[in-house]
Amino acid sequence: MINSKKSAAERAVSYVSNGMTVGLGTGTTAYWVILQIADKIKSENLKIRAIATSVQSEKLAVKSGIKLIPFDKIGEIDLTIDGADEVDENKDLIKGGGGALLREKIVAYNSRQLIIVVDQSKLVHNLGKFPLPVEIAVFGWEKTMDNLAGLGCQPSLRIRDDVPFLTDNGHYIIDCNFQQISNPSILNREIKSVPGVMETGLFIEMADKIVVGYEDGKVDVLD
Ligand code: 5RP
């Protein structure tokens, strides 16, 4: 069976070249990206420096032999390759299904280019079917969750193994079910104005390219 995430990752990694500083995303698609960057470094003898968006990706990168550098030493990031939970027709995204949205957004914001790799199931007409992850402070989380509900969603605290999921930054995630988000940009601003919110999973006008893998093996690049 064709692995569409893997084929999309392969195409995205073709944009990586010698001397680049690369941002490494998080998730099951970014997993393939990291492995393929590691292969490319070895087979083409490339000099690549990387920054990871989660502890999980950091561990995989180290195990695969990719040279990581601390964020404060990084200067500009040439290219970041990451996954997404939903991609709409404007290339706006919902991210954070894996809980790494805060670091992912910081890295993406500081990158010259952001390439998003997805399989076809992630393409949507309107964002919002996938509950929007919002990273919040632990202090006062119940109140923050109530305030998010006031913006028109059904919020739920993310639980893993019967306890609240803690991000790599020591925060909680509220998954906000809006069903349909008609104006992602306005909603992003509204959510960010709620005290206690660290970051939202809405990535607006950030992606430069979307690389889409299909079940039949075809890969499309949306510029
Ligand atoms: C993690 C993310 C991931 O990129 C997103 O959840 C997609 O994951 P996957 O590639 O496993 O479907 O935003 O915070």
Side-chain angles (χ1 to χ4, degrees), residues 124-139:
V124 297
H125 191 62
N126 279 109
L127 299 178
K129 256 216 151 50
F130 188 93
L132 175 67
V134 176
E135 182 157 346
I136 67 160
V138 172
F139 178 82

Side-chain angles (χ1 to χ4, degrees), residues 57-223:
S57 294
E58 197 172 290
K59 283 186 184 152
L60 180 63
V62 167
K63 201 169 118 200
S64 313
I66 298 176
K67 183 176 179 208
L68 292 178
I69 33 170
F71 204 58
D72 59 327
K73 303 270 181 315
I74 205 149
E76 193 139 21
I77 303 166
D78 296 295
L79 166 65
T80 288
I81 309 180
D82 202 348
D85 301 297
E86 280 186 352
V87 180
D88 74 6
E89 288 155 358
N90 299 318
K91 292 193 272 146
D92 290 336
L93 320 168
I94 286 185
K95 286 184 50 53
L101 61 116
L102 175 57
R103 293 192 189 187
E104 288 173 337
K105 202 179 269 190
I106 294 172
V107 170
Y109 187 84
N110 289 288
S111 300
R112 267 201 214 113
Q113 227 201 129
L114 173 64
I115 298 182
I116 295 296
V117 271
V118 288
D119 63 36
Q120 64 189 105
S121 70
K122 308 288 183 69
L123 300 180
V124 297
H125 191 62
N126 279 109
L127 299 178
K129 256 216 151 50
F130 188 93
L132 175 67
V134 176
E135 182 157 346
I136 67 160
V138 172
F139 178 82
W141 71 268
E142 296 97 332
K143 287 276 175 268
T144 307
M145 189 158 98
D146 287 350
N147 289 323
L148 290 171
L151 297 177
C153 70
Q154 185 83 52
S156 62
L157 177 68
R158 191 177 292 185
I159 302 288
R160 285 286 175 278
D161 302 323
D162 297 329
V163 292
F165 172 84
L166 263 194
T167 68
D168 289 344
N169 318 299
H171 301 136
Y172 285 168
I173 299 265
I174 304 292
D175 292 301
C176 298
N177 192 349
F178 283 96
Q179 285 298 330
Q180 188 163 321
I181 297 173
S182 45
N183 192 324
S185 177
I186 290 179
L187 181 65
N188 190 46
R189 254 181 280 137
E190 285 175 344
I191 297 177
K192 288 201 77 165
S193 70
V194 174
V197 168
M198 299 296 161
E199 195 47 85
T200 87
L202 284 167
F203 283 51
I204 315 288
E205 289 182 15
M206 292 183 85
D208 296 289
K209 285 183 176 50
I210 312 286
V211 181
V212 189
Y214 292 85
E215 275 166 7
D216 61 3
K218 192 180 85 167
V219 175
D220 263 354
V221 180
L222 316 175
D223 268 303

